[in-house]
Amino acid sequence: MNSWEQRERARDVLSREVGYIRKPHGGRLRVALAFPNTYFVGMSNLGLQTVYKLFNELDGVVCERVFLPAKQELQALLKSGARLVTVESQTPVSDFDVFAFSVSFEWDYTNILTMLRLAGLPLYAAERGPRHPLVVIGGAVTFVNPEPLAPFADVIAAGEGESLIPALARAMAAANNRDETLAALAAERGFYIPSFYEVRYGGEGILEAFVPKPGTGAPPVVKKAAVKTTEALDPPSTVIYTPDTEFGSRFLVEVVRGCANLCRFCWAGYNYLPVRPFPADRILSLAKAAKPHANRAGLVSIALCDHPEIERILQSLHDMGYSISPASLRLDDLTPEIVRLLKASGEKSLTIAPETGSDRLRRVINKTMTNDQILEKAELIFSSGFENLKLYFMIGLPTETDTDLDAIGDLSLQLRDVMLKYARGRGHVGRIVGSVNPLIPKPGTAYQWLPLEDPASIDRKSRRLKGLLSGIDNVYFSVKSERHSYYQALLSLGDRRVAPAIVAAERNGGNWRAAVAEVGLNADAYLFRDRSSDAVLPWDIIDGGLKQGFFRSEWQKALKAETTLPPKRHESRTVLPLIES
Ligand code: SF4
């Protein structure tokens, strides 16, 4: 694909879009906003759409999108050597002031490198200079552990876009050169400049310290940036509609940010605290404006029903003619009214997450819901006319025994009984679909020090579960193997010494086993080692807000199957004593 064909392709894409923004470049900060996956995937990502809007709301900034070309185009582009261009003005990315990546998934790390290559930029920050765009990496992964990406980023933006984007634009407008920009950003909340730190390792290669380099002004830890309240903010929502994406006719909107349930394995729960609802009237007026372009509303929130006006929002969306897709629903939030409204909007399936089969193990992970309560909710769901139920479970949880695994089988069969009871009257039987994942301990959670469970043990547990649930009519279970998650876990739990393996995997077409071997990385040491006596963890360079002492006490309570009750909705900010401001 040559430059002309690439531009033609971009113009063709634009011709099918509604809502894209064109601004003259002259005198403005030029930001090429990258989603490190294809247009089809990226355009259904609310994070990308939000960052695009936030940048372009600033008068002095013009922000244009750029995506990883689809497979065939990518090969053609690499072959021709034509430079990657933005969608809006088809300008080469290398002409921009900032090349900003919005990264949601670890699997996209190699795509970041491919896009840097296509743009004609050196992969490593240390090899870039004043004539190159500033490479800024942000997005959900920076909340978790940005360290494996640190050598590629000039700047890592850790936290929420509403807070970070104006600060980035301000710093760049005030600075005269790259060095001044980096120094100014290092002084701002949420900006991590990896090159400003010396990383020290102990005798066995264990991380010992991040030491700010003298004269950089870099802080000992970088505090995550977050907005204190969303009361006056527009909710993130779809701004560009295109038929060429997975959720093309869907109006995506964030209803409430955060979840206060404090599940001990859940990085999203811990990292988006406190719970902050967006204004209901604004959600509804945006939904009304979007109606000509969308017939389905995708409500993107990890704890949807924590919005104090959720019933009014659901009812009004239904009245506007939307069918409603909730991203996920907590079991304790399923009230008769909410279930009725979801059913009325045309849903046939609901997804719930019992996580495990026994009440004891649920207390270990700090889920207070009991099996009896889950079965009561199933009665409510199926009696309201839902046909199918999707279930999320995990295996490899701390203190798990075979009895707990058997309890997953028992609970699933009891749920099937409830489904059958209501299906009889309808003459049509739905499905119970279970998805089982091995626990991957995540940074920034109460389980962050844990090693992954031995793959042989996970395999045995997986076989046991399959044995319990295979061959049962209307019950379908898939169990993900730990091997599948091994390299994803490495990217999630690693430090900056993992970066050369990302480079090798990008070059060899994604063969991670070969990449890790080529660079001589001991991946097992990152995954199967107990980190509880390590002085520093790779992700400690970002202060997500919750104190280490809190996580340690949560871990001790987990071992005793003791729960920490979530603060009530109106008291959700009472969790703030745990959070440093
Ligand atoms: S209820 Fe769901 S989103 Fe909330 S903390 Fe638990 S797992 Fe995370």
Side-chain angles (χ1 to χ4, degrees):
M1 181 186 257
N2 59 33
S3 301
W4 181 81
E5 287 167 329
Q6 201 192 170
R7 290 190 168 89
E8 273 301 289
R9 173 96 178 91
R11 282 192 277 268
D12 184 43
V13 161
L14 280 180
S15 71
R16 287 189 298 281
E17 284 188 346
V18 174
Y20 69 85
I21 298 162
R22 276 300 308 268
K23 280 183 175 181
H25 286 202
R28 291 194 159 92
L29 178 74
R30 292 161 305 162
V31 179
L33 172 63
F35 189 82
N37 209 310
T38 60
Y39 179 89
F40 182 82
V41 177
M43 285 305 290
S44 287
N45 185 284
L46 188 54
L48 178 86
Q49 296 239 8
T50 305
V51 173
Y52 179 74
K53 177 170 171 252
L54 290 169
F55 268 127
N56 277 315
E57 274 173 356
L58 302 173
D59 229 9
V61 178
V62 50
C63 174
E64 302 187 355
R65 293 158 298 151
V66 58
F67 297 89
L68 182 77
K71 220 170 192 172
Q72 278 187 345
E73 289 166 30
L74 176 63
Q75 292 314 322
L77 211 56
L78 286 168
K79 209 164 155 195
S80 73
R83 290 284 162 86
L84 191 65
V85 300
T86 54
V87 177
E88 280 78 358
S89 69
Q90 303 97 49
T91 305
V93 168
S94 50
D95 289 355
F96 281 73
D97 302 306
V98 179
F99 193 9
F101 286 86
S102 175
V103 192
S104 299
F105 309 106
E106 286 94 356
W107 279 129
D108 288 340
Y109 287 5
T110 51
N111 295 337
I112 297 173
L113 302 191
T114 305
M115 292 181 79
L116 286 170
R117 271 206 299 143
L118 288 171
L121 304 179
L123 301 186
Y124 285 100
E127 293 163 8
R128 293 193 292 266
R131 67 191 173 85
H132 296 120
L134 193 75
V135 174
V136 180
I137 299 183
V141 292
T142 60
F143 279 48
V144 187
N145 177 17
E147 209 45 22
L149 292 174
F152 310 123
D154 297 311
V155 177
I156 284 174
E160 297 175 351
E162 292 88 349
S163 168
L164 291 163
I165 286 168
L168 176 68
R170 256 194 329 266
M172 292 205 65
N176 292 311
N177 56 47
R178 196 181 186 87
D179 289 345
E180 281 185 25
T181 300
L182 293 178
L185 288 173
E188 290 274 352
R189 189 171 183 136
F191 291 97
Y192 168 40
I193 317 297
S195 61
F196 282 7
Y197 295 82
E198 182 201 334
V199 185
R200 293 195 183 143
Y201 306 96
E204 290 176 24
I206 294 171
L207 184 61
E208 272 190 343
F210 288 90
V211 183
K213 291 181 184 167
T216 61
V221 290
V222 177
K223 285 179 186 276
K224 179 187 79 176
V227 287
K228 282 200 164 54
T229 165
T230 47
E231 277 158 22
L233 285 185
D234 257 5
S237 65
T238 306
V239 285
I240 304 172
Y241 292 90
T242 171
D244 304 329
T245 185
E246 187 181 358
F247 300 138
S249 57
R250 206 172 283 200
F251 166 64
L252 300 173
V253 61
E254 186 174 2
V255 173
V256 52
R257 189 167 290 173
C259 170
N261 269 21
L262 306 176
C263 298
R264 293 184 172 122
F265 59 87
C266 179
W267 75 268
Y270 284 130
N271 282 282
Y272 287 98
L273 285 170
V275 176
R276 290 153 293 164
F278 287 93
D281 286 337
R282 206 50 205 135
I283 292 169
L284 294 174
S285 65
L286 286 168
K288 198 168 172 198
K291 194 68 196 60
H293 316 295
N295 51 28
R296 185 168 270 264
L299 309 182
V300 183
S301 295
I302 53 175
L304 188 61
C305 300
D306 270 359
H307 197 293
E309 294 183 78
I310 188 61
E311 291 184 4
R312 176 164 81 90
I313 293 169
L314 293 177
Q315 183 66 59
S316 304
L317 290 173
H318 176 57
D319 294 345
M320 285 181 211
Y322 277 108
S323 58
I324 299 168
S325 304
S328 68
L329 286 167
R330 286 188 328 209
L331 275 157
D332 43 338
D333 289 330
L334 291 176
T335 62
E337 185 59 7
I338 283 173
V339 173
R340 183 191 70 75
L341 285 165
L342 290 172
K343 182 70 190 68
S345 85
E347 288 290 293
K348 287 191 171 155
S349 291
L350 274 188
T351 303
I352 59 172
E355 312 291 8
T356 185
S358 75
D359 294 348
R360 181 201 70 81
L361 194 49
R362 228 173 269 118
R363 288 197 301 278
V364 169
I365 59 174
N366 205 37
K367 287 235 173 194
T368 50
M369 181 70 62
T370 63
N371 280 346
D372 286 346
Q373 290 168 321
I374 292 170
L375 290 166
E376 271 171 36
K377 297 291 182 189
E379 289 277 347
L380 171 64
I381 291 167
F382 288 117
S383 67
S384 305
F386 282 93
E387 295 176 14
N388 311 305
L389 190 60
K390 288 190 195 156
L391 307 169
Y392 282 125
F393 290 107
M394 284 187 290
I395 54 173
L397 294 168
T399 78
E400 183 178 70
T401 65
D402 283 352
T403 313
D404 298 306
L405 297 177
D406 296 349
I408 292 180
D410 293 343
L411 178 63
S412 305
L413 294 180
Q414 287 173 296
L415 290 167
R416 175 179 178 268
D417 288 344
V418 180
M419 176 181 74
L420 291 177
K421 183 167 102 185
Y422 291 97
R424 274 184 207 114
R426 260 197 330 264
H428 166 71
V429 183
R431 293 154 34 122
I432 301 281
V433 179
S435 171
V436 185
N437 287 288
L439 170 76
I440 307 245
K442 283 283 183 187
T445 70
Y447 295 161
Q448 63 182 350
W449 295 280
L450 284 185
L452 257 68
E453 189 161 337
D454 172 22
S457 163
I458 288 287
D459 281 350
R460 188 192 63 76
K461 290 179 174 181
S462 161
R463 280 197 304 278
R464 186 179 182 100
L465 255 189
K466 284 179 186 156
L468 289 170
L469 290 163
S470 65
I472 297 171
D473 286 348
N474 311 102
V475 175
Y476 303 88
F477 261 69
S478 67
V479 186
K480 200 166 160 192
S481 98
E482 190 175 60
R483 286 192 181 85
H484 188 80
S485 318
Y486 181 91
Y487 294 106
Q488 189 181 358
L490 175 65
L491 296 175
S492 170
L493 298 167
D495 57 33
R496 57 178 69 184
R497 291 170 296 181
V498 171
I502 305 174
V503 174
E506 193 268 337
R507 204 175 340 98
N508 74 16
N511 182 341
W512 281 95
R513 183 188 290 262
V516 164
E518 179 189 325
V519 301
L521 189 73
N522 182 358
D524 281 3
Y526 286 100
L527 303 182
F528 297 116
R529 198 174 60 79
D530 182 325
R531 287 174 282 267
S532 54
S533 50
D534 289 11
V536 181
L537 301 170
W539 44 93
D540 284 349
I541 186 63
I542 305 293
D543 176 357
L546 289 166
K547 297 172 185 167
Q548 295 292 320
F550 167 69
F551 285 140
R552 290 210 183 256
S553 112
E554 281 299 288
W555 169 237
Q556 290 307 319
K557 287 171 90 173
L559 293 176
K560 293 182 269 179
E562 282 176 14
T563 54
T564 297
L565 284 181
K568 295 230 174 353
R569 179 184 295 156
H570 66 280
E571 294 168 351
S572 68
R573 284 166 205 208
T574 58
V575 81
L576 282 174
L578 308 166
I579 305 176
E580 291 169 4
S581 61

